[in-house]
Amino acid sequence: MTKPARLYPKEEPMNLNPKVIFIGSIIFAVIIGWIGIATSTGGI
């Protein structure tokens, strides 16, 4: 049940980390923007 080495190269985590941080920052920015719009329009 060993995983093939070609499917899990050692460089993969280094390539995935910037993507996770980038996607996380976009989602965080969208949430902050949505909260700002909701508070400005709804007066929450």
Side-chain angles (χ1 to χ4, degrees):
M1 302 295 288
T2 57
K3 298 177 181 179
R6 61 182 181 87
L7 293 180
Y8 297 92
K10 293 181 180 181
E11 295 80 9
E12 190 173 0
M14 288 298 178
N15 292 333
L16 288 178
N17 284 336
K19 292 181 181 180
V20 173
I21 296 174
F22 184 69
I23 295 173
S25 61
I26 291 178
I27 296 175
F28 182 75
V30 170
I31 293 175
I32 293 298
W34 182 82
I35 291 174
I37 294 174
T39 52
S40 63
T41 55
I44 301 175

